[in-house]
C-alpha cells in the first residue's frame, strides 16, 4: 500500500491510498499522523485501518502533483516534534563498487582511514543475529520537520554552502506511541541533500554538511521493505534535458547493516522515545553525482525514483540568501 498526503483545491488536508494515478481518500483522517495514532490506539495494522476507511472521494495524482499540492507523506503539526536524522557508511553499492570497497578495507585495520574503519566494522558486525546488538553506524542529525520538502518543492541551498548534491536514499518513517514505543509506519524514497564539498574538506565537517533541506516522498510504502530495491537518480538541466543519470540499489541485500540494527542504535536513546514525536531516518546510499564530478546548478532538478515507491520525487535546486543577526547579550 502507498499512502499520499496532499491538499485539495480548497486547501484542506487529505490522506489517500494511491492506486496507479488515482488517489482514493481515506475518510475520517486529515493526515497520516492521525491515521497512525488511531492504528496504534486500536492495535490495528496501518494498512488495514486505511483500507477499511477508504471512501468515495478520489483525485488524480497527476493533477494534484502538477498543482503543487503534494505534502510529505508523514509530518507533525509542530515541526519541532519531528526529528530528521540518518546513518551513513551503510551501503555496499554495485558489484564493482563492492569489490573495490572490500579491497580498500582489507589488510591491517590501522592503515585505514576512520571512515573505512567504520565501514569495515559495519561489514563485519552490522547484521547481528536476532536479539543481538550489532556495531554502531555513523549517525547524523539533519534538522527538524522544517527542513523536509515534499515532491515539487525546491531544495534551498544557503549562500554559504559550497555544494548542494543529492543522496538517493530510503527513509524509515516512525511515530512514537504514548507509552514511548517506536512504531515504524513504513518507508519513503528520499533525497538526503547534503554539502559534499564541505564534508570533503574534513570528515569532522560532516555535521555542518548535513544541516540542509531534504526531499521526501511522495508516497509512504506501508509494510516491509523488499530486500532488494532498485532505482534511478537523475539531474535534469533547466532546459529539461537529463544531464546525469545513474542507477542505485538499496534494501538489506545491498547494505552492510540490517534495518533493525540501524533502528536499535537510533531508538536506544531515551531522547528519541518521546510520546507523539515523528522520526524520519535516512538509511544511506552508495550513489552520488558528486562522485562523478557533477556540480548541480541552481535551477536544475533532482529526480529520484524506484518502482517500489510509486511516483518519482522531484525537487528543484534553489539558492537562498542566508541571514545572520549578531547575538544580542541580555
Amino acid at each position: 500500500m502507498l499512502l499520499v498526503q496532499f491538499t485539495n483545491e480548497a486547501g484542506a488536508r487529505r490522506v489517500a491510498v494511491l492506486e496507479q494515478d488515482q488517489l482514493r481518500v481515506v475518510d475520517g483522517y486529515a493526515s497520516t499522523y492521525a491515521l497512525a495514532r488511531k492504528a496504534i490506539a486500536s492495535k490495528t495494522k496501518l494498512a488495514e485501518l486505511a483500507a477499511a476507511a477508504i471512501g468515495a472521494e478520489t483525485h488524480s495524482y497527476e493533477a494534484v502533483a502538477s498543482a503543487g499540492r503534494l505534502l510529505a507523506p508523514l509530518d507533525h503539526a509542530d515541526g519541532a516534534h519531528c526529528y530528521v536524522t540518518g546513518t551513513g557508511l551503510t551501503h555496499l553499492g554495485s558489484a564493482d563498487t563492492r569489490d573495490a570497497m572490500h579491497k580498500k578495507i582489507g589488510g591491517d585495520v590501522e592503515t585505514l582511514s576512520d571512515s573505512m574503519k567504520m565501514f569495515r566494522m559495519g561489514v563485519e558486525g552490522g547484521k547481528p543475529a536476532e536479539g543481538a546488538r550489532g556495531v554502531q553506524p555513523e549517525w547524523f542529525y539533519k534538522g527538524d520537520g522544517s527542513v523536509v520538502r515534499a515532491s515539487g518543492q525546491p531544495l534551498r541551498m544557503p549562500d554559504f554552502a559550497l555544494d548542494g548534491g543529492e543522496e538517493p536514499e530510503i527513509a524509515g518513517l516512525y511515530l512514537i506511541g504514548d507509552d514511548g514505543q517506536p512504531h515504524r509506519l513504513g518507508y519513503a524514497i528520499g533525497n538526503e541533500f547534503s554539502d559534499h564539498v564541505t564534508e570533503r574538506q574534513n570528515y569532522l565537517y560532516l555535521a555542518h554538511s548535513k544541516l540542509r533541506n531534504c526531499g521526501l516522498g511522495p508516497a509512504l510504502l506501508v509494510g516491509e521493505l523488499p530486500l532488494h530495491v532498485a532505482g534511478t537518480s537523475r539531474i535534469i538541466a533547466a532546459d529539461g534535458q537529463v544531464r546525469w543519470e545513474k542507477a542505485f540499489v538499496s534494501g538489506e541485500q545491498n547494505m552492510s547493516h540490517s534495518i533493525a540494527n540501524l533502528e536499535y542504535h537510533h531508538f536506544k536513546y531515551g531522547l528519541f522515545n518521546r510520546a507523539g514525536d515523528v522520526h524520519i531516518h535516512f538509511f544511506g546510499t552508495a550513489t552520488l553525482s558528486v562522485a562523478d564530478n557533477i556540480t548541480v546548478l541552481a535551477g536544475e532538478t533532482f529526480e529520484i525514483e524506484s518502482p517500489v515507491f510509486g511516483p518519482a520525487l522531484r525537487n528543484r535546486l534553489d539558492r537562498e540568501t542566508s541571514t545572520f543577526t549578531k547575538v544580542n547579550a541580555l
Side-chain angles (χ1 to χ4, degrees), residues 199-248:
E199 181 186 351
R200 282 178 169 180
Q201 289 181 330
N202 188 305
Y203 78 96
L204 294 176
Y205 280 154
L206 175 73
H208 286 281
S209 74
K210 296 296 185 182
L211 292 170
R212 301 288 188 270
N213 292 167
C214 63
L216 187 69
L220 162 61
L221 173 66
V222 180
E224 294 303 318
L225 186 71
L227 293 177
H228 174 77
V229 176
T232 305
S233 181
R234 301 180 183 91
I235 306 300
I236 301 174
D239 63 3
Q241 299 299 307
V242 175
R243 188 160 76 87
W244 176 87
E245 179 179 75
K246 201 165 213 177
F248 69 89

Side-chain angles (χ1 to χ4, degrees), residues 12 44 77 84 97 102 113 127 169 185-186 191 215 220 222 231 233 240-241 260 293 326:
T44 306
V84 185
T97 305
H102 277 286
S113 67
K127 292 182 174 178
E169 302 192 18
L185 281 61
N191 182 352
L220 162 61
V222 180
S233 181
Q241 299 299 307
N293 299 312
K326 185 178 179 181

Side-chain angles (χ1 to χ4, degrees), residues 96-107 112 116 119-120:
D96 290 344
T97 305
R98 194 173 306 190
D99 182 61
M101 190 64 73
H102 277 286
K103 289 178 180 177
K104 284 184 180 180
I105 64 175
L112 301 177
M116 287 299 98
F119 183 82
R120 178 166 159 169

Side-chain angles (χ1 to χ4, degrees), residues 147-326:
V147 307
V148 180
R149 298 292 180 266
S151 186
Q153 297 177 337
L155 298 180
R156 293 195 166 94
M157 179 173 66
D159 57 10
F160 57 77
L162 302 180
D163 170 60
E166 87 299 331
E167 296 201 15
E169 302 192 18
I170 294 170
L173 278 58
Y174 305 87
L175 174 59
I176 311 302
D178 289 341
D179 59 355
Q181 170 67 45
H183 297 268
R184 186 198 320 115
L185 281 61
Y187 305 86
I189 199 72
N191 182 352
E192 197 273 290
F193 177 70
S194 301
D195 183 343
H196 302 103
V197 174
T198 291
E199 181 186 351
R200 282 178 169 180
Q201 289 181 330
N202 188 305
Y203 78 96
L204 294 176
Y205 280 154
L206 175 73
H208 286 281
S209 74
K210 296 296 185 182
L211 292 170
R212 301 288 188 270
N213 292 167
C214 63
L216 187 69
L220 162 61
L221 173 66
V222 180
E224 294 303 318
L225 186 71
L227 293 177
H228 174 77
V229 176
T232 305
S233 181
R234 301 180 183 91
I235 306 300
I236 301 174
D239 63 3
Q241 299 299 307
V242 175
R243 188 160 76 87
W244 176 87
E245 179 179 75
K246 201 165 213 177
F248 69 89
V249 293
S250 190
E252 287 194 5
Q253 181 179 312
N254 303 295
M255 297 171 64
S256 54
H257 286 262
S258 64
I259 300 295
N261 191 53
L262 300 181
E263 290 175 337
Y264 168 74
H265 286 295
H266 180 71
F267 291 110
K268 69 184 181 183
Y269 296 102
L271 169 68
F272 296 148
N273 294 288
R274 185 170 55 195
D277 280 0
V278 164
H279 288 254
I280 297 168
H281 189 77
F282 287 93
F283 293 135
T285 188
T287 304
L288 307 169
S289 64
V290 70
D292 292 335
N293 299 312
I294 297 294
T295 299
V296 186
L297 307 175
E300 297 187 322
T301 296
F302 303 105
E303 182 179 272
I304 298 171
E305 66 175 347
S306 171
V308 172
F309 297 98
L313 168 65
R314 297 184 180 94
N315 302 98
R316 187 185 69 247
L317 175 63
D318 285 357
R319 292 197 70 100
E320 67 176 356
T321 302
S322 60
T323 58
F324 171 72
T325 303
K326 185 178 179 181

